[in-house]
Amino acid sequence: MARKKAAAHDENSPAYQRGMAQIRKQLGPMADAYIRNIKALAPEFAWVNVTFPFGELYPRDVIDLKTRELCTVAALTVQGFSLPELKLHIKAALRCGASRAQVAEIITQMIAYCGFPAATNALMTMKQVFDELDAEANDTRKKKKPASRGRRA
Amino acid sequence: MARKKAAAHDENSPAYQRGMAQIRKQLGPMADAYIRNIKALAPEFAWVNVTFPFGELYPRDVIDLKTRELCTVAALTVQGFSLPELKLHIKAALRCGASRAQVAEIITQMIAYCGFPAATNALMTMKQVFDELDAEANDTRKKKKPASRGRRA
Amino acid sequence: MARKKAAAHDENSPAYQRGMAQIRKQLGPMADAYIRNIKALAPEFAWVNVTFPFGELYPRDVIDLKTRELCTVAALTVQGFSLPELKLHIKAALRCGASRAQVAEIITQMIAYCGFPAATNALMTMKQVFDELDAEANDTRKKKKPASRGRRA
Amino acid sequence: MARKKAAAHDENSPAYQRGMAQIRKQLGPMADAYIRNIKALAPEFAWVNVTFPFGELYPRDVIDLKTRELCTVAALTVQGFSLPELKLHIKAALRCGASRAQVAEIITQMIAYCGFPAATNALMTMKQVFDELDAEANDTRKKKKPASRGRRA
Amino acid sequence: MARKKAAAHDENSPAYQRGMAQIRKQLGPMADAYIRNIKALAPEFAWVNVTFPFGELYPRDVIDLKTRELCTVAALTVQGFSLPELKLHIKAALRCGASRAQVAEIITQMIAYCGFPAATNALMTMKQVFDELDAEANDTRKKKKPASRGRRA
Amino acid sequence: MARKKAAAHDENSPAYQRGMAQIRKQLGPMADAYIRNIKALAPEFAWVNVTFPFGELYPRDVIDLKTRELCTVAALTVQGFSLPELKLHIKAALRCGASRAQVAEIITQMIAYCGFPAATNALMTMKQVFDELDAEANDTRKKKKPASRGRRA
């Protein structure tokens, strides 16, 4: 006899919608593709990813989002192996109002709690994020100013 | 302006009730006290503890509970520091049909994946659990047979 | 004065042969190349890899191989950094009778014990394994049906 | 030929004095005993403990102390084994302006990044800190009001 | 059909005898009780504990025992949770010729690789070991000099 | 009111110069580029990297550099995720007098303390280092013998 699955997962439910709204707020345009990617592999994983941290924990008002994201950056730094997730949350920290210098500062502070190897892993991940953001900003600038560049020529 | 808390937490909701039913099934009589204890410290922590792993993950029918609990024992063994949680899940594994020898076997297998220090931590935690269960069984036997002991005297 | 090495390592010994038989059973055709690769770097490492987990632990009959492999998948998931080893053991779990859905389910369950970063690392590793297996299956199909494909053209 | 030790350690140096001032600011009255205890075991350990995180990292002005301490609480939570250090930094977070609810909130947020076992270890450590602080506050109240208690008798 | 256990475990075999000789050399008088304790819980665990690290790895002549033990102290320090095993190996390091200052030095060096929380855990474990050894030495002195103490009285 | 940064960082100070001398001794020609790279991302991170482990810890005379580097190799092996840092310190261990066989031996010994996944990660990192060193040695040989090669042509 097969037991039933625990819960029907309704993506139109308030719980899921609240989670998706929050994840878009923190991760920006990449949020939907990120969840879609996970859902294709394991729908249950995607469901809890949306409804639990983003639908349940992050929207609470006890601590502001910028502080929450810096705490997450600190946590992922000391773990040493959480580099793909760290990339997401460095971007999220910047979106939530942290400066690049503040991200670098928290990673540097973590040397005291995880040593240089994990902190250096995080620093190099931070560099990748900053380089990607700079490249995107560069692309955007180029697309926006074709006329002005034409005039200079 | 204060943001609102993410969700009203209704302990009569199906999600919470399903979680509590599941946690009682796995942890037995200690389940309610365990959650009450956490709730007194941090109600949000208790809510996600009930609704997420127990309300959402464990009741799914893809893998049987005994196998799930042995996997959790394996996971907590390799972490090395998860000894209070390991105590709970060794008890849960036994409740779900695993034998003591099987618990010892999985901890032994983990030597290959986490080395001796973490595996020995787990083995000593297993000993504590078995000793506690033996002491409880002993107490129960004594309470059940006051007459027969009286007769022997 | 130089101390002697601990033990002469005889690859024809029952201990080594039993280990190689077991490793082939779990890892399949890649087993021999895997061990040969390690042996070229550090013969002692290869020797203990064959004789200890595979010659000593896995062949014991207390727990079936499928359950053992799912426990190993759980353990490697929570470690977060054991992704090359996780690839091997996801393949081994499938060879020992686990379904793809069961592998995904155990990785999803581990969210509760290691959080999303380590579990997501494992999920992406699982995707790599499934993609590789699909590509191999595809290659095999193509090689087997050259005539039928010719007829369709 | 013996190499010389790297550096003469002058506790009257600005570097050491700045570190001790900072550590007292964050840890309060227990700071001096904490460092003295370590110095008795390993003077070099104590020297770097004072001059590196407290003399060098924490006094920087890029991020405020309260946010820094919440980040440290997050980091120590996910490590799972850093419970004695976590006790110190929960106290420090409170001294630097975090509320008890905010400490509990960050520990709860960390469930998503380290799972329940490490987060529960942290929650129980938080409980110990709060209980100790309550007991101290109680002692202080009793000592301050001997007259009023006498009058009641 | 039940599969057979992998190997008959003969404690008179050269492999086991070599392991026990080595473990006594490193851990001293406590070695036999340590293994007996584990064997009572899980005979397979005890067998691999004796034959694999002590029978196979430590007796090899490529690196001297003192260096090996300092490396093990370093490894257990950075893990943060391996404190019972660290106690054993700090004692073993001292038995193999390391000085107390060298043990403290390696733990201090590890701050750079694991941060203060794990290194402080190790330092406090080192203190316990040194205190125990001092107490034992004190007891031994007292037992050896009953006459001289009598004369003073 | 903005607090001042903790310390003026003078790269001509004895502390920094001592650190740079030490890091060059251990890491060789790549030392300067390594620190320059970090400094471009986070000057404070680079400052503590130079002055704390290399300026403060490694130059102390209690333990010789070769033993220190083998301990660091052991520590980074068990962490599992510290592979970029491990590359540096395997090179440093060789520069400080360790043989390739001794590096392989310590990584093999660590199987007992961290299991196969982390140890195998380290072994594959060791292979990368040895391959790089062999390729460099090959390049150097080729460059040194242009005449002889010319004569052969």
Side-chain angles (χ1 to χ4, degrees), chain C residues 20-72:
Chain C
M20 279 311 302
Q22 185 70 29
I23 198 170
R24 283 179 199 121
K25 191 162 148 189
Q26 287 173 247
L27 302 191
M30 66 179 150
D32 286 81
Y34 182 73
I35 293 300
R36 201 161 42 232
N37 193 16
I38 291 173
K39 195 178 155 188
L41 292 166
E44 173 70 6
F45 195 115
W47 174 263
V48 297
N49 209 341
V50 171
T51 56
F52 161 47
F54 293 101
E56 183 66 48
L57 299 178
Y58 276 109
R60 288 163 57 82
D61 62 1
V62 187
I63 295 182
D64 64 283
L65 263 184
K66 179 186 156 183
T67 303
R68 283 187 188 273
E69 283 291 358
L70 287 173
C71 287
T72 298

Side-chain angles (χ1 to χ4, degrees), chain E residues 88-143:
Chain E
L88 291 181
H89 282 286
I90 290 175
K91 288 183 185 170
L94 298 175
R95 285 182 64 86
C96 294
S99 69
R100 289 187 177 196
Q102 288 176 327
V103 170
E105 188 72 17
I106 285 301
I107 291 173
T108 302
Q109 181 181 322
M110 288 304 114
I111 297 169
Y113 302 104
C114 62
F116 285 94
T120 306
N121 282 2
L123 196 72
M124 293 305 147
T125 300
M126 182 194 84
K127 178 176 159 52
Q128 285 173 31
V129 173
F130 291 177
D131 286 352
E132 280 176 33
L133 293 176
D134 289 344
E136 283 170 28
N138 225 11
D139 283 1
T140 312
R141 254 196 311 275
K142 280 181 193 160
K143 282 178 195 157

Side-chain angles (χ1 to χ4, degrees), chain F residues 86-105:
Chain F
L86 180 59
K87 277 185 87 165
L88 292 181
H89 283 285
I90 289 175
K91 288 182 186 170
L94 299 175
R95 286 182 64 86
C96 294
S99 68
R100 288 187 177 196
Q102 288 176 328
V103 170
E105 187 73 18

Side-chain angles (χ1 to χ4, degrees), chain F residues 70-97:
Chain F
L70 288 173
C71 287
T72 298
V73 167
L76 300 176
T77 295
V78 302
Q79 289 185 324
F81 57 78
S82 300
L83 305 181
E85 188 102 4
L86 180 59
K87 277 185 87 165
L88 292 181
H89 283 285
I90 289 175
K91 288 182 186 170
L94 299 175
R95 286 182 64 86
C96 294

Side-chain angles (χ1 to χ4, degrees), chain F residues 37-146:
Chain F
N37 194 15
I38 291 174
K39 195 178 154 189
L41 293 166
E44 174 71 6
F45 195 116
W47 174 264
V48 298
N49 209 339
V50 172
T51 56
F52 160 47
F54 293 102
E56 182 66 48
L57 298 179
Y58 276 109
R60 288 164 55 83
D61 62 0
V62 187
I63 296 181
D64 64 282
L65 263 184
K66 178 185 156 183
T67 303
R68 284 187 187 273
E69 284 291 359
L70 288 173
C71 287
T72 298
V73 167
L76 300 176
T77 295
V78 302
Q79 289 185 324
F81 57 78
S82 300
L83 305 181
E85 188 102 4
L86 180 59
K87 277 185 87 165
L88 292 181
H89 283 285
I90 289 175
K91 288 182 186 170
L94 299 175
R95 286 182 64 86
C96 294
S99 68
R100 288 187 177 196
Q102 288 176 328
V103 170
E105 187 73 18
I106 285 300
I107 291 172
T108 303
Q109 180 180 322
M110 288 305 114
I111 298 169
Y113 302 104
C114 63
F116 285 94
T120 306
N121 282 1
L123 195 72
M124 294 304 148
T125 301
M126 182 194 85
K127 178 176 159 51
Q128 285 175 30
V129 173
F130 291 177
D131 286 352
E132 281 176 32
L133 293 176
D134 289 345
E136 283 170 28
N138 226 10
D139 283 1
T140 310
R141 254 194 312 274
K142 281 181 192 161
K143 283 179 194 154
K144 278 188 180 164
K145 303 190 179 179

